[in-house]
Amino acid sequence: MFMDPNKWYLSCPPLGSAEEPHGLVVYRIAESDPPGAKDFQSHFELGKPLPRKVDKCRWRSISVYENLVDARKTAAFLTKKRNLQALYIAQGTLEAAHGVVLHTPSNGDSHHDWWPCDNVDRLQPFAVIEQV
């Protein structure tokens, strides 16, 4: 299922605590409608530098939210921070075949890290539901 050697040496994803989703409805912030492959890549895959205080395993995950309100708040913040005209929120339902997730809240929100399975179509379960 998880064949990426860049993940394994970090014990990534954290199989002891990450869980397979079963019908987990999540929200992903995207820069385009419809979302493109770039919207579903980790910071590692995008070539972004690893921040000092960020775990290497989490750097290889994709952020999703279980609560739409949390996704809206983050999208609004990012729109202002990055001086963007708009961002979009895509809704998707993750199943075990899509990978594993770990609830990683920040200030009590519904943030999850998602480690997709290798060769899974990351865009397939998602569709934009609104513009922020």
Side-chain angles (χ1 to χ4, degrees), residues 9-122:
Y9 82 92
L10 298 165
S11 297
C12 188
L15 297 177
S17 52
E19 300 175 346
E20 291 182 344
H22 296 281
L24 179 67
V25 176
V26 295
Y27 303 92
R28 171 76 179 156
I29 299 166
E31 292 186 5
S32 59
D33 180 12
K38 184 179 173 184
D39 290 310
F40 286 86
Q41 290 182 315
S42 68
H43 288 148
F44 169 75
E45 292 167 321
L46 291 169
K48 293 186 177 184
L50 175 66
R52 284 192 345 233
K53 295 183 180 182
V54 174
D55 175 81
K56 288 181 181 181
C57 187
R58 292 193 64 200
W59 181 53
R60 287 169 162 77
S61 69
I62 298 168
S63 292
V64 293
Y65 294 87
E66 193 171 0
N67 183 305
L68 178 57
V69 172
D70 293 336
R72 285 178 180 149
K73 286 179 185 176
T74 302
F77 170 78
L78 291 174
T79 301
K80 290 178 185 174
K81 180 179 178 185
R82 296 181 187 167
N83 198 25
L84 300 171
Q85 289 191 358
L87 286 173
Y88 303 90
I89 296 177
Q91 177 181 315
T93 302
L94 297 179
E95 301 292 346
H98 295 117
V100 295
V101 295
L102 178 64
H103 186 214
T104 52
S106 175
N107 299 317
D109 69 6
S110 65
H111 183 274
H112 284 66
D113 288 329
W114 169 36
W115 291 271
C117 291
D118 290 340
N119 301 318
V120 70
D121 182 353
R122 299 174 187 187

